Structures are given as structure tokens and as C-alpha cells.
Amino acid sequence: MNSIKSIAISAQLKTLSKFNCQALINGKTRTLYSCLNELNQVNRNICSVEDPIEIQLPGINQVAYHPRAGLDFPTIIRALLRQDPDVIMIGEIRDIASAQLAIQAAQTGHLVLSTLHTRNASGVLGRLKNLGIDSEAIESCLRCVSSQRLVRQRCMQCINYIKTDQCPQCTSSGYFGRIGVHEVLAGSQLFSSAPFLDLHSAGALAVKAGLIDQATLDAEVGTWH
């Protein structure tokens, strides 16, 4: 999460559009909320459009997607823009209208955070183009894209128990909880062949640190990347 935290902090100094892209159930909502928490200040107007609102965040104007009441993503985003927000979080870019509004908001000086479903970080560019966003608009405002996977974390308490004993934390399964592995493209890396830390490389660092094992990394990252 340190890389995501640094992105959120740096966002305080510049206008950008940041997308988190990944397969289903890989922690993207938690990552977005973590970014909002880092950006949340008394003098900063932060708004979000969510479906549904999963975590209530004090100090943030959170609006729930409710199409039957006329509150679809484009309608809510247009209404929020009239409130002159500093930061807008759009739970998910789902269609052409929401993609265009997100880009327009970023182009007019707002920090926009959102998610897309793609296989990896570099896939965001093609996905936005498929949604009708031209290359010039993307290059003018897109500053960062991250992709992440949740990988089973090794149980750190197991090392304190003899193999014949049962670990009380993981019941000797060897794993406890999950940890995020992040691939981040930022700045010039977005539009060039400049090297970046992809999911495999980021995962290798976690393996080296003893947080995860190679088999679980391959099982999770190899499936989608």
C-alpha cells in the first residue's frame, strides 16, 4: 500500500486522473478509500459517486448510485461538478458518458480517482480509447494507473511454532490474510516503453521479503497478467 499512499500524497500537488484497474475482488475499493483518506483534509472538498457506498468516510460527500431515482453516474457527476470539488472519486468507469465526464473533470482542474476492469495497468489506455476518449485527451490528464492482485500472505506466527504444534493463528495452514501486489504506471511510463515495476516484479519483492511464496504469486498473477 506504500506505493498507493505515495500516489495519493503526490496528487495534492497536481491535477491528475488516476485509475485502478484489476480483475474482480482484488481490493480496488479498499485502495480507493485509502487514497481518499490520505487526501482528506478540512479545507479540501472531496466527493464520491459509489455503487454502493461501502464505507462511510467522515468529511467526504458520498453519493450513492440509484438509477431508479434518476441518480445515474453521469447525472451525479454533473451535479457534483457544480459544487466545485477538489477531488472526485468515481466508483467505476462503466460507459462512454462516465468516461467522458471523468476526463473532462480532470481537464478542468479536478483530481479524479476511479476504477476500470482490465487485465493490467497498460490495458487502461486501450480501454479508454474503446470508450471514445481520444489519445490527446488521455495524455493531457492521465497521470497514474495501478493494477493490483491480492495474494495469500504467509503466516508470520508459524515460525514460532515447532512443526508438530498447531499454529493458533492459521491452524497450521501456513497462510493468514492477503496482501496487495501492486503494478504502477506513472508519468512518462504511461505513454512510452520506459521500464516499470510490473505485477511479477512487485510480487518477486514480496517473495524475497518472505511475505508470500512463489506458488501463490504464480497462481494469482499468472491467471490474469
Side-chain angles (χ1 to χ4, degrees):
M1 187 61 70
N2 287 338
S3 60
I4 302 301
K5 180 177 179 179
S6 65
I7 292 167
I9 293 174
S10 67
Q12 299 178 36
L13 305 177
K14 63 181 77 174
T15 298
L16 61 84
S17 181
K18 185 264 182 189
F19 289 95
N20 185 289
C21 56
Q22 58 201 56
L24 294 171
I25 316 176
N26 268 288
K28 66 181 184 299
T29 301
R30 181 71 65 173
T31 297
L32 278 180
Y33 280 128
S34 297
C35 287
L36 291 180
N37 271 329
E38 290 295 328
L39 294 166
N40 195 7
Q41 295 181 7
V42 175
N43 62 345
R44 182 171 287 144
N45 183 5
I46 301 178
C47 301
S48 72
V49 188
E50 305 174 53
D51 178 26
I53 297 173
E54 298 186 34
I55 302 175
Q56 295 287 344
L57 296 176
I60 294 178
N61 180 19
Q62 297 173 271
V63 182
Y65 171 79
H66 194 341
R68 289 188 177 181
L71 296 175
D72 55 20
F73 275 106
T75 300
I76 297 172
I77 295 169
R78 291 189 185 98
L80 292 179
L81 286 173
R82 289 194 287 270
Q83 299 181 24
D84 192 27
D86 299 302
V87 181
I88 300 175
M89 189 272 271
I90 303 171
E92 182 183 343
I93 300 296
R94 296 182 171 181
D95 51 32
I96 294 174
S98 56
Q100 290 176 336
L101 285 168
I103 295 297
Q104 289 171 12
Q107 288 177 323
T108 53
H110 305 87
L111 167 61
V112 180
L113 308 176
S114 190
T115 67
L116 282 169
H117 289 297
T118 64
R119 285 184 176 273
N120 50 41
S122 58
V124 165
L125 302 180
R127 177 68 176 139
L128 288 174
K129 290 177 182 178
N130 289 339
L131 288 171
I133 308 301
D134 62 72
S135 298
E136 184 178 351
I138 295 173
E139 292 182 19
S140 70
C141 64
L142 187 61
R143 294 294 179 271
C144 179
V145 176
S146 71
S147 178
Q148 67 186 61
R149 300 291 182 273
L150 294 180
V151 180
R152 288 196 303 171
Q153 185 172 1
R154 294 179 61 195
C155 177
M156 296 294 104
Q157 284 198 19
C158 280
I159 60 175
N160 298 321
Y161 289 87
I162 303 173
K163 289 185 178 181
T164 55
D165 295 335
Q166 186 177 75
C167 173
Q169 180 166 270
C170 70
T171 62
S172 297
S173 68
Y175 301 96
F176 186 78
R178 295 192 292 175
I179 187 172
V181 174
H182 301 273
E183 171 182 278
V184 180
L185 285 172
S188 61
Q189 296 172 333
L190 285 164
F191 310 105
S192 70
S193 57
F196 65 95
L197 192 68
D198 62 16
L199 285 171
H200 290 287
S201 300
L205 294 177
V207 171
K208 186 176 181 180
L211 298 174
I212 61 177
D213 58 46
Q214 190 64 48
T216 54
L217 174 65
D218 292 341
E220 185 61 42
V221 174
T223 303
W224 295 98
H225 199 64

